[in-house]
Amino acid sequence: MKIKNQYRIVLLSAILISVATVSCSDLEEEPKSFVTPQSFYATPQQIESAYTAAMNRLWSAWAGYSYGYGNFIHDDQLFGGDLNISPNHGSDLWSRHYFALLNINSAIRALGEGNVKGVATAQLDELMGQGKFLRAYNYFMLVRMFGGVPLITDQTPDPVKNPLKRSSVSEVYDLIVSDFTEAAAKLPASWPSSPG
């Protein structure tokens, strides 16, 4: 019995020494690239992917308007119809719109700062028009459901460090009209029916 315990101690010590010597070696890696908000929005495809991600937030299979919009149909009849509406009723759509706006504003900021290079002005204008349209659409839906909401644009300081208050309904509509007007000026009257 004593020999077995001594054998276990020696074996355990050997394992610990092996692990300690192997784990002390330095690991050096050379990453091929880093993706940051400053480096990502550099091509038209990356800007369009941000817009696609924004719309996916609103229209994904199990959330947003594809699923959660039922909360706003016939008051709360889907939840018993007793008009006892929970405090977080509609919070899914609120947060999804603001997640979408984060993507949209990041793309608009990158376009405004000239991060997308080597692209024709007409294409840049079209991308900016798409961004302004999508931002206006998000705020249009928010103001209709919730009244005055916090306005976060590409020029807004970090809302985590600078908490925002709700803007008035008229301030929200002013931004909506401004963004839709700019979008109408920059977007084509129609797109071809097939890419090419």
Side-chain angles (χ1 to χ4, degrees):
M1 192 68 110
K2 208 173 195 183
I3 295 174
K4 282 186 178 181
N5 284 339
Q6 288 176 347
Y7 178 72
R8 286 184 185 159
I9 291 171
V10 169
L11 183 62
L12 183 59
S13 297
I15 291 172
L16 288 174
I17 290 170
S18 299
V19 168
T21 57
V22 170
S23 65
C24 291
S25 64
D26 290 335
L27 177 63
E28 292 185 31
E29 293 185 49
E30 292 184 33
K32 295 181 184 199
S33 67
F34 288 103
V35 176
T36 65
Q38 293 76 26
S39 66
F40 178 72
Y41 301 99
T43 67
Q45 295 79 13
Q46 290 172 338
I47 298 292
E48 288 173 349
S49 71
Y51 297 158
T52 302
M55 293 310 293
N56 186 57
R57 283 287 189 174
L58 302 178
W59 296 96
S60 63
W62 290 102
Y65 291 103
S66 300
Y67 181 76
Y69 195 59
N71 293 342
F72 292 98
I73 298 172
H74 312 300
D75 298 317
D76 72 334
Q77 290 181 17
L78 295 175
F79 301 103
D82 57 8
L83 295 180
N84 290 327
I85 299 172
S86 65
N88 68 343
H89 195 76
S91 62
D92 177 59
L93 288 177
W94 172 280
S95 63
R96 287 184 171 279
H97 276 287
Y98 278 103
F99 281 128
L101 286 163
L102 286 174
N103 285 330
I104 295 164
N105 284 329
S106 296
I108 290 173
R109 181 180 301 111
L111 287 166
E113 292 174 352
N115 293 355
V116 181
K117 301 197 184 325
V119 178
T121 303
Q123 187 176 8
L124 291 174
D125 283 347
E126 190 175 295
L127 289 168
M128 183 64 84
Q130 290 174 23
K132 294 294 179 107
F133 178 88
L134 290 172
R135 185 167 70 185
Y137 168 78
N138 275 273
Y139 278 117
F140 180 70
M141 298 302 284
L142 281 168
V143 75
R144 290 174 49 232
M145 289 185 283
F146 301 106
V149 295
L151 286 179
I152 300 175
T153 68
D154 54 307
Q155 302 298 320
T156 303
D158 183 355
V160 174
K161 295 177 184 172
N162 305 297
L164 299 173
K165 296 179 181 172
R166 286 180 179 244
S167 297
S168 69
V169 169
S170 65
E171 289 171 322
V172 177
Y173 275 109
D174 287 345
L175 177 67
I176 292 168
V177 169
S178 172
D179 278 355
F180 274 146
T181 302
E182 185 175 345
K186 292 186 179 207
L187 293 174
S190 64
W191 274 279
S193 59
S194 62

